[in-house]
Amino acid sequence: MAFSHDLESSSSSLVFSVRRNQPELVAPAKPTPLEIKLLSDVDCQAGLRAQIPIVQFYRNEPSMAGKDPVEVIRHALAQALVFYYPLAGRLRETSGGKLMVDCNEEGVMFVEADADVTLDQFGDSLKPPFPCFEDLLYEAPDSEGVTDSPILLIQVTCLKCGGFIFALRFNHAMMDGVGVIHFMNAVTELARGAKEPSILPVWRRELLYARDLPRVTRNHREYEQLTDSNTPVPTDFEQRSFFFGPAEIAAIRGLLPRDLDQNVTTFEALTSYIWRCRTKALQVDPKVEVRMMCLVDARAKFQPPFPVGYYGNCFAFPAAISTAGELCEKPLEYGLKLVKEAIGEVSEEYMHSLADLMVTQGRPLFTVVGSCLVLDTTYAGFRDLDFGWGKALYGGMVKAGAGAFPAINFHVPCQNAEGEEGILVLVCLPAQVMKAFAKELDHNMLHSNKTN
């Protein structure tokens, strides 16, 4: 049998209108230090100079009757900015591409809105791509820049049913996904009455400054600068989400030898499978190199480990590299072993070497030619964020891709319409390639068989 991965819902054709108030700036609730803080050299790389959106959907909660989620969140936000006061500032660029934050209490941008729609109208399965998302997170004028713009943009949209949608866009140069979760946990805790966050923020960006004598000691092939002049650039990109529940994950593992299946994570197996199917769908020349880059949080790789409250960028995305022919023709375990080896490269020295590479090679963009980058948010905790109205029905990434680079996949925890827990993989591909990709997913699973 073929597996159905694409979560269809009535939301795909849903149209609704949103009424927005004028954007406002929310400043810290109390005076905070007015100072300049330097970002780390990992923060300052070209690939992180992007704005990343997330979204949370919340049901009406009868016990919160009489409370306005907009007011609750706005108040908690101002309180959280007392602790995370750099987020209320503005990024500036200094010589050599180094970024710093001007902690000036200017504030984060906040939008209050109402929509003539209920959560039920979004269908049984809330999943990307979301209809009318441009109305759920208003791109306010002069807010899009990486420097000299609000570091956070937040919109709270109240729905006819009493539920609401919380949408946030964060400046990736300032913080990574773990940092965003730390900050949002602080906001939700304060919204529920806490006096201070359970995890206090830690700046300590000097931990990832380049060394006094920079020395690149690792082979960072994820930053190789390649050219691809022969391939026309597609313009008809399509966003889709593919659901992998227990049956689909078991089918993928069924393509692996038993001894290997028991020693790989679901992320590694699923990523390797997606990499191979994607490469086949793109019909890449067999002799051309393709790469899958996996984001690896490096906080626990340090000795001693990074401070728990560190909210700057502390990750690498090492590259698994193969010719397209070998990846597509060899068994799945071939690509899987490459992915595992790449992930295993990340260490404390790898991160110091990365910081040194940034200052010695002009803070390069990661390799985009023949590349796909994947981020696993299944354990991030976006769905657990509770402002007092309970946990989110959907929480996490809005779409695949970031900035001008569409080949970024996200793994997001999700329930399907039957209430089954699984992983939603957000993918962006040219429209015709997307059709071929969906067929590849099913075709390979049909041949799932523990024959090894």
Side-chain angles (χ1 to χ4, degrees), residues 52 54 56 84 87 152 166 168-172 174-187 299 310-313 380 382 385:
I52 308 298
I54 64 169
Q56 313 281 121
Y84 286 85
L87 298 183
L152 298 177
F166 175 93
L168 176 147
R169 192 193 68 197
F170 68 94
N171 188 327
H172 207 333
M174 188 67 165
M175 59 206 307
D176 63 9
V178 174
V180 172
I181 284 292
H182 283 329
F183 173 70
M184 286 310 306
N185 272 325
V187 175
R299 284 166 172 79
Y310 186 84
Y311 61 103
N313 291 287
F382 285 111
L385 295 172

Side-chain angles (χ1 to χ4, degrees), residues 243 245-248 414-422:
F243 181 79
E248 288 85 357
C414 186
Q415 278 189 349
N416 64 8
E418 289 73 41
E420 183 181 55
E421 284 288 338

